[in-house]
Amino acid sequence: MSSLHATGNSTPLSGSRSGRENDDMETERSQVSERAAQDGTSTLQLRLYQREMLEESMQKNIIVAMDTGSGKTFIAVSRINTELERCPPHKLAWFLAPNVALAEQQHNVLSQHLPSFQTRLLTGSDGVERWGEQKIWDEVLHNIRIVVSTYQVTLQPQALRPPSCSWKKVLLDALGHGFVRMKQLTLIVFDEAHHCTANHPANRIMQDFYHRSVKEASDEVPAILGLTASPVVNKRHKGLEILERNLDAISRTPKLHREMMLQYVHQPNLLRLLYPSNTFDMQVPEALKLLRRVYAGLDIDEDPYVIKLKAASSSTNNSSLLRKVLLSHKTYCQNQIKGFLGKAEHVQLELGSWATEFFIEACLRNFSKAIAQDDYGTFNSLEAAEKSYITSALKNVWISIPKVQDLTEDSQISPKVKVLIDFLDTEASANFSGLVFVQTRAAVAVLAHLISRHSRTRDAFSVGTFVGASSNFAKKSAIGELVNMKNQTETLQDLRLGRRNLIIATSALEEGIDIAACNYVVCFEKPPNLKSFIQRRGRARKSESTYAIMFEEGSDSGTMSTWDDLEDEMRQAYMDDMRRLKEIQVLEAQEEGARVFKIESTGAMLTLDGAVQHLYHFCATLTQTDYADAWPMFTFEKSAMKADTDAVTARVLLPSSVHKDVREACSSSSWRTEKFAKKDAAFEAYIALYRAGLVNDHLLPISFDLETEEARSAIEKRPNLAEVPAQLDVWSNLVAYKWQGQPRLYESSVSITYEGVTILRMLMILPLGLPNIIEFDLHWDATNSFSVVITPGRSAPYDQEHMTLYAKCTALLLRSIYKTRMESEGTDFACIFIPNYIKDDPLWLEKAGESSPAKTLLDTGICQPQIGLIYDVMNNRTRHIFHGLESIPKDAPEHLLNGAQAENGQCVDNGLCLKVTKLPKRADFLHKVMPQNNDADKEKETKYLYLSPSRCEVDNLPFEFSRFAMFIPSIMHQVELYVAAECCRTSLLSSIQLNDLSLLVTATTASAAAEQTNYQRLEFLGDSILKLFTSLTVMAAHPNWHEGYLSGKKDHIVSNSRLASAAIQLGLAPYIRTIPFTGFKWRPLYVSDLLNHQRKKKRDMSTKTLADIVEALIGASYIDGGFRKVLSCLAIFLPEIPWAPMSQQIQKLYDIYDISIQYPPNLVQLECLVNHNFTAKALLVEALTHPSHQGPNTSASYQRLEFLGDSVLDNIIVKTAYSHQPSIPVLTLHLIRTALVNASFLAFVCLNHSNLTTRSDPVSDHNGNFSTVEITTFCQIWSFMRHAAPEIRQAQQSCVANYNSLREEILTALRLGQHYPWALLCRLEAPKFFSDLIESLIGAIYVDTHGSMEACESFLEHVGVMEYLRRVMNGDVALLHPKEEIGHLADIEKVNYVVRMEEKEEGDGKLWKLKCEVWVGERMVVKVGDGVSRMEVETRAAEDAVRVLKADKREMAKEVV
C-alpha cells in the first residue's frame, strides 16, 4: 500500500494511515493542550525560547540550532502555520527530512497540529520516480498546502543498475523537470540542515534553483528554515560559514530565554570507559584462517568477469578495462570475498575469536540457505558464473569450519567487549533503556548476539538491532549481512513499549528518527566527528542519564574536551547579535559548470552535473534484457585538437535498442579530466534524444497516460466501477413517444413453428419498423421448444377504426393470462398483437370473448387446439390446459382427481372428466428449462389432473392464442434487443455500416444479462485485432521508438481504463445490456404509463465490461467487413490515434529498411530453414540481432520486430481458434491462446525445428591417401542469432543439453498426450531469446510480405505450431495449468507450495536439487524432488497433486453411491 495520503478537512484519500504515536517526545508532548473550542483540534503553546526562535525566523532565514529534545519541530510547525496564513493560497510549504521514518514522524506531527491545511507525504513507496507528467504532479498537489518528503528516494533495484542511478531526489527532481517551480514554494524547512553541503540534494536545491533564481531574479524564492542539533559536522572552522552560505541563512540558538531551554534539555553525565589494548595474541579461529587462505588462493584469471572481458576483448574499450582489472583485481567476486574477510577481521579485532567464529558460520549458513532456496536476495543481479564462482570458493570454508561452541566465561572475547559487559552488568536495572553505537553493520549483528547469549547479560537485556539502508543497489555486498532489515521498525517500537531495553545500532540511529529517550548511550568506538558526538549525546536525554565513550588505555581521551570547547565556540558564534550573514560570494562559474539547456515552456533544465544521471534514467526505461548491458558505454581518447596536452574527449554509445541516429554522441570539446568529458558527452547525447522526440519537454523519458492512471490509482484507490447512464428502455424512451399523435404504423409477421410446422401466425404492430428479420427459440418445457420468426412487413397510415379493433384484440389476448395485472379500461398498448386473419374475420373478437361451461365440451365435437383454457371455478378459477376427455384411470392417485369422483367411487358426468395440466406460471420462455433430477418431481411433472366438467368453465379464446399471450413478454424482449441495437447502429456506429445486426446485439450484451449470446467470444477476437492494429500503427508512426516506448504506448491505447473512458465519452453505455430478463411480475405496457414513468438515470457498470464491449464491437466489425470496418470502428472510439489502412502502415515499415543491404552469406541457409525468401534482407538481419550485439549491420536489435511478431502470432492463433467449427467455448479459447503463445512452447519450437545440411570432410586411409566423406548435420534457427555476450553461448549450450534429454518426451506429449506438457517445458529452462527469435521472424515475414497473414501462417505451419493448434482445437488436450486446476479442486482450502533445497550425490560430487511439497489446507498431498527451478518443480508437483485429488474425489463419489 502506498504511503501517499492527504490529511485535512477534505475527504481523505484511500490508503492513508494513522501516524505513529510520538509518545516518547516528552518535551514536545507536554506543550500540547486540548483546545476548549468545539473543533476539538490541538494547538501549540510555544515556550518562550521557542517563540524567540519563531520571531527571528519571521524576520530572516535562520538555522535553528538547539539540542535534541528541545522542541525544534514545534518551531517549524508554528512557522509553517504563520507562513501559510499570510501567503497566497496556491503556495506550498515543503518540509524535507533525511529518511522515511523521520518524514512519516514529521508528517504526523504536522497533520495533527495543523488540521486546517492538507498535508501530503511523499516517499519512495509512492513511485515518485514514475510521475513523468505535469498532470500527475498537479493532481497530487491539488489543494495541498504542506508537503513532507525525504530528500531522496531509493529506486527499485534492477539488475546491474549503476550506483549513479540508485536515487531519486524528490523536490530536486521536481524542480529540475519543471513540475514544481520555486515560485510555488513559500517556505522550505530543512530538517537535519547540517547535511546541506557538497553535492547533497539539499545543497543542490539551494545552488541550482534558489541561488540561481536570486542571481537571475527570474523567480520568487521561498523563506528558508533549517533545523539541527549540530550545525557543525567536524572541526573545520569554515564549516558553519559554508552551511550558512549554502542555506542563505544565519545560525541561531536561544539567547534571551536560554535558561528556560536548559530546564527541558537534560545533559547526560559524560563517562569514559577505558579498556586495555590487545597486548596478548588472541587466538585466531580456524574459520578465519580458512577464509584467509581462500582469498589468498583466488586466481584473477579464473574470475568470471575477467573471462567475460577476455572473450570480448576485441573492442578497445574492453581491452583497456581488462588491463585495469588485471592490475587492480577489482571484480565483484574478488570484492565480495575480500569484503567478507575484512568484516571477519574487524570482528576478530573488536569482538574476539568467539564472535568471529559465530560471524563466519552465520554468514555462510545464510548464504547456503539462499542457494538452497534458489533465492539469492541481493545476489539476484549476479550472473550465473559469478554465483557459481563465489559458491565454489566458499564451499571449502563451509564444509571445514567447526561448530561454534556455546558462549561461556572462558570463551575468547576481546578486552573491549569484556569492559562493555562489565558496564552493562553493573548498570542493569528494571528501568534500563539504552543504545550502543558501533561502527559496522557486521558488528551490530554479532555484538547483539553476543550480549543476548552471555551469562551475565542474557537475562537482564532484551537486545534489538538497527542499521542504515545501503544506497547502492547495483551489486551490494550481502555475504556479511546478518541484520534483518524488515524488523527495524518493530525494534524501535519494542524499545518504546519496553519490550526491548537495549539496541545495538550504527550511526543510522544518530539523528532524526524518533526513538524513546534513553538513560544510557554507549559509543563502542570514539565518535568520528563533532556532529556524531552531539547527536549521540542527544539520545541520552532522560534525567540523570549516562553518555559513555570507550577509549583504549593510553589513547588520546581528551577528544571529548576538544569537542566540548568547539561546541561552545560555535554556540557563541551563532549567539553573537552583531554578527551578520556575509554577502554571498558568487564565484565565476568555471567552464565545466556553465552549460545549461533549458526548455522555456516548462522550465525544465539540463546541466552538465545532471546529464549523466538523466542519461542513465533514460536507459532505465529501455526494455531490460538478459545478457545485454542496458546502460550507456563511455570511451575516452586524447584530444586531436590539443595533442600536446592531456585534454581528452569522450564518446558515449547507447544500447542497440536506441535508434541508430541518436545512439552515439561525442563531447562538444576537450576537457582536462575524463569526468567532465563524460558529462559533456552525456549532455550532448541527452539533447539529441530530446530533439529526436525521445524525451519530453520535462526532459524525462516519454511516459504514457497509462502510467499516469497507475500513479493516480496510488493516490485514490478507485473502485473498478463507473457511473453510467441507465440501460436504454426502448418502450419508454422510444416507442411510447412514437405512439403520440397518429404515427405511421409498421406491421411485422410473427410465425410460431413447432417441429418444422407453422402452428400460428400473428401480426405485431408498432409505430416504428423493425430493422431486419428476428429469429429465436422459445422453450415451453425441458423437451419442447418453439421457433419464432419475426419478419418486417408493410407500413400504413394510422387508422383509428382499425386501431380500436386491434387494441381490443390485444387486450383479449393479454387478459387471458395477465388479467389481474391489467388496467380494466386501458387499451393504449405499447405493442399491438392480432391474428393475421383478423381483417378477414371481423367477428373473431366476438367469438373469442368470454367463457362457457365446460360441460358443453361433452356435447360438441372436440378440436383440441381450438379449446381454450380450463378454469376450475371451485378453486379460484385456477387455469389449466385441456388435453381431452377421459375416464378416470383406475390407478390414478387421489390427489390428482380434484372432484372428478363421486362419493361412491363412480366417475361423475357420464363417466368422463377433463384431462388437464396446470398452466405454467412462467413468463420467461427464452431460457431453457433444466430437466428435474428428482424422481418425485418428475412424477408430478408428467401426471395429468382430472377435473369434473361440472365445476369448470372453458375459455372461448383458443389455447393457441393464450399460449401466444404467454410468449408476448419474451417476444417483446427480443424486439427490444434488436431495436436498441438498431438505434446504436444508426447513430453512434453509423460510419461502420454494419450489415449483420445480430453481431451488434451479441457485442453489446454482457454476460450478466444472461442472454443466449454475449460479447465474450467477440471480445476475445476483438482484443487480438486491436492489439495487432495498435502495434502496427504505433510502430509505423514512431520509427525511432524502442520497444519499451512501443509497449508503453500500445498498453495505454488498449488499456481497460482508456477503452472504458472512450465508451463513456461516446455514449455507448445506454446500449449495453446488463439486466437479465426473467419475466417476473411482467405486466402489459401502456403508453400512458410509459410516458409518465420515472426513468432510472444512472447505474454502476464495471469498467472492464465497458472496455470488453469496445473490443467486442471491434471483433464484430471484423466479421462483418474485415479490417476496413475495423478501421472505421477504431476511428469512432479512439479518434486521437492516427489510424490508417493496414497496407499504408505496413508500407511505412517496409520503407524503413534498405533492400540493397548485404547480409552474411550463411543466412541463405536460414531462409531455407524458415521457408521464406526475404525481399528486404535487412529485415532478416534485424530479426536475428540480439540486443547485446554491437558490430556491422547493427541497425537495431530484434526487439521491435519481436513486438510486432507477438501481435501477429496472437492474431493468427485467435482467429484460427475462433473460426473453428463446432464453436469452442470462450474459456477454452483463452486456454488455447495461452498454451500456443507460451514462451517455453515457442522456445521448444525454435530448438526443435531444423534442416539437414551436408558437408564433406577429408579422411585418410592407412596408406595416407586422402578422400572425402559426406557428413550430415542439423541447421537450427537459434544458431543464427547474432550476439556479443559469451554468456549467451553458455546459455544456449545448457538449454540444448536439456532439449536433447527431453526432446522425445516433449514430442510424445505434444503429439499424443492428453495434457499440455507444462512441467516438461519448464524443465527446458529456455532463456527468453529462443521464443523471441520465433516472434521476431514472424514480424519480419509480415513486413517483408506487406502484411500477408498467409505467409506467416505458412511459417508457423512449417515449424509445427499450426499442427499442434489443430490438435488442441479438437478438444483432445487438457490445457488448464495444473496450479490453476489444483486451485479449483481445493475449493476453499488454501494451497501452499513449500520449496526446499536438497543435496544429491552425483558422480564424484554433490548437486543441489529442489524439492517441493504441496499442501492443501493442513494436508501434505504430494512431495516431489529433483527440481531444476522453482517454477518447474512447483508445476510438476501440482500435476501430481491434481492426480491425487481427482482420485480422492472419485473414491468419495463411490462411497456416496
Side-chain angles (χ1 to χ4, degrees), residues 621-883:
T621 67
L622 302 176
T623 303
Q624 301 296 310
T625 306
D626 292 338
Y627 313 107
D629 191 351
W631 308 112
M633 181 188 300
F634 291 90
T635 57
F636 306 93
E637 57 185 42
K638 291 195 65 173
S639 173
M641 302 296 293
K642 301 180 180 180
D644 57 338
T645 68
D646 292 330
V648 295
T649 59
R651 170 177 168 267
V652 61
L653 183 65
L654 301 182
S656 61
S657 54
V658 179
H659 194 267
K660 59 184 177 61
D661 291 346
V662 290
R663 193 178 301 157
E664 186 175 342
C666 297
S667 54
S668 61
S669 59
S670 56
W671 300 84
R672 286 175 292 177
T673 64
E674 291 184 356
K675 177 180 179 180
F676 280 103
K678 178 180 180 180
K679 290 181 179 181
D680 189 12
F683 188 87
E684 293 294 327
Y686 209 75
I687 292 175
L689 292 173
Y690 171 74
R691 289 172 176 160
L694 296 177
V695 295
N696 61 24
D697 285 344
H698 291 287
L699 295 179
L700 285 170
I702 297 173
S703 62
F704 304 96
D705 290 344
L706 176 65
E707 296 179 4
T708 303
E709 292 297 329
E710 291 174 349
R712 187 183 292 114
S713 67
I715 308 165
E716 186 176 356
K717 299 291 184 183
R718 298 176 178 174
N720 294 322
L721 294 175
E723 187 179 62
V724 299
Q727 179 175 301
L728 175 65
D729 184 344
V730 167
W731 304 107
S732 61
N733 290 4
L734 185 61
V735 176
Y737 286 98
K738 290 278 189 179
W739 274 115
Q740 295 184 89
Q742 294 187 347
R744 190 169 186 83
L745 300 180
Y746 297 82
E747 291 182 359
S748 297
S749 170
V750 182
S751 299
I752 308 295
T753 303
Y754 178 72
E755 293 184 346
V757 177
T758 300
I759 60 173
L760 183 65
R761 295 185 187 275
M762 299 287 288
L763 291 178
M764 179 178 68
I765 300 174
L766 287 169
L768 50 79
L770 295 185
N772 56 7
I773 296 175
I774 304 174
E775 299 183 35
F776 54 95
D777 291 334
L778 297 176
H779 307 282
W780 180 253
D781 53 31
T783 58
N784 297 293
S785 297
F786 297 86
S787 297
V788 181
V789 178
I790 305 176
T791 306
R794 67 184 184 88
S795 66
Y798 188 91
D799 185 311
Q800 183 62 54
E801 182 180 353
H802 284 151
M803 283 306 301
T804 301
L805 174 65
Y806 298 164
K808 290 180 180 180
C809 290
T810 303
L812 178 64
L813 290 171
L814 293 172
R815 283 196 181 96
S816 69
I817 302 298
Y818 307 105
K819 184 175 182 179
T820 58
R821 301 179 191 172
M822 294 177 65
E823 299 175 4
S824 58
E825 301 298 330
T827 58
D828 58 332
F829 298 107
C831 188
I832 300 295
F833 291 97
I834 59 175
N836 68 335
Y837 51 78
I838 188 68
K839 297 175 184 178
D840 300 327
D841 187 7
L843 298 178
W844 179 85
L845 187 61
E846 296 179 15
K847 292 186 293 184
E850 301 305 325
S851 60
S852 305
K855 294 184 68 173
T856 59
L857 295 175
L858 302 176
D859 305 326
T860 60
I862 297 175
C863 181
Q864 192 166 310
Q866 298 302 317
I867 303 299
L869 291 174
I870 303 297
Y871 297 97
D872 187 351
V873 179
M874 304 297 291
N875 189 17
N876 296 321
R877 296 186 65 81
T878 305
R879 292 168 296 188
H880 298 79
I881 302 171
F882 180 71
H883 292 281

Side-chain angles (χ1 to χ4, degrees), residues 1038-1255:
H1038 304 285
N1040 65 345
W1041 275 16
H1042 57 78
E1043 189 268 341
Y1045 278 4
L1046 296 175
S1047 294
K1049 184 65 173 177
K1050 182 204 73 176
D1051 290 344
H1052 158 59
I1053 294 173
V1054 305
S1055 69
N1056 280 351
S1057 60
R1058 179 66 192 91
L1059 296 179
S1061 175
I1064 293 171
Q1065 291 171 9
L1066 186 66
L1068 180 66
Y1071 301 102
I1072 299 175
R1073 319 300 294 185
T1074 58
I1075 302 172
F1077 171 74
T1078 63
F1080 181 66
K1081 292 185 178 180
W1082 187 90
R1083 61 186 300 274
L1085 302 181
Y1086 297 94
V1087 172
S1088 56
D1089 291 344
L1090 293 172
L1091 291 174
N1092 297 322
H1093 176 63
Q1094 294 293 325
R1095 301 175 186 86
K1096 185 178 179 182
K1097 295 182 179 180
K1098 296 288 184 181
R1099 58 176 166 163
D1100 287 336
M1101 184 178 294
S1102 164
T1103 53
K1104 184 179 185 305
T1105 297
L1106 287 162
D1108 287 350
I1109 294 290
V1110 174
E1111 292 178 331
L1113 288 170
I1114 294 170
S1117 299
Y1118 177 78
I1119 293 175
D1120 197 69
F1123 284 116
R1124 178 180 61 83
K1125 290 191 177 181
V1126 169
L1127 185 63
S1128 299
C1129 185
L1130 292 174
I1132 291 174
F1133 287 101
L1134 300 168
E1136 73 280 9
I1137 307 300
W1139 306 109
M1142 295 187 76
S1143 58
Q1144 293 182 21
Q1145 308 279 28
I1146 297 168
Q1147 188 62 46
K1148 285 183 181 179
L1149 290 179
Y1150 186 85
D1151 291 342
I1152 294 172
Y1153 297 92
D1154 183 0
I1155 62 173
S1156 65
I1157 190 173
Q1158 297 298 313
Y1159 67 103
N1162 67 320
L1163 295 189
V1164 173
Q1165 290 182 319
L1166 182 61
E1167 288 186 315
C1168 296
L1169 187 59
V1170 301
N1171 197 34
H1172 178 76
N1173 292 321
F1174 281 84
T1175 303
K1177 307 297 185 184
L1179 279 163
L1180 181 57
V1181 173
E1182 184 172 313
L1184 298 171
T1185 303
H1186 187 269
S1188 66
H1189 181 74
Q1190 296 287 351
N1193 297 332
T1194 309
S1195 58
S1197 71
Y1198 60 54
Q1199 290 173 316
R1200 278 175 55 91
L1201 288 174
E1202 181 263 329
F1203 167 79
L1204 177 60
D1206 173 75
S1207 298
V1208 174
L1209 171 64
D1210 182 88
N1211 190 251
I1212 290 173
I1213 300 299
V1214 165
K1215 286 198 300 185
T1216 305
Y1218 180 89
S1219 303
H1220 184 268
Q1221 292 298 328
S1223 295
I1224 300 173
V1226 68
L1227 291 179
T1228 306
L1229 288 175
H1230 285 284
L1231 293 176
I1232 289 173
R1233 172 164 62 181
T1234 300
L1236 269 293
V1237 303
N1238 177 274
S1240 296
F1241 172 73
L1242 295 179
F1244 178 78
V1245 168
C1246 182
L1247 287 159
N1248 190 59
H1249 184 64
S1250 62
N1251 278 349
L1252 288 176
T1253 183
T1254 60
R1255 73 168 191 268

Side-chain angles (χ1 to χ4, degrees), residues 56-95:
E56 281 213 50
S57 73
M58 298 301 295
Q59 304 301 319
K60 55 181 173 290
N61 296 342
I62 69 168
I63 304 167
V64 176
M66 289 169 29
D67 290 328
T68 302
S70 58
K72 295 186 293 295
T73 298
F74 285 171
I75 297 172
V77 172
S78 297
R79 178 70 177 87
I80 292 172
N81 184 56
T82 304
E83 187 66 34
L84 292 180
E85 286 178 347
R86 69 179 186 177
C87 73
H90 67 276
K91 294 219 168 191
L92 299 168
W94 202 295
F95 194 113

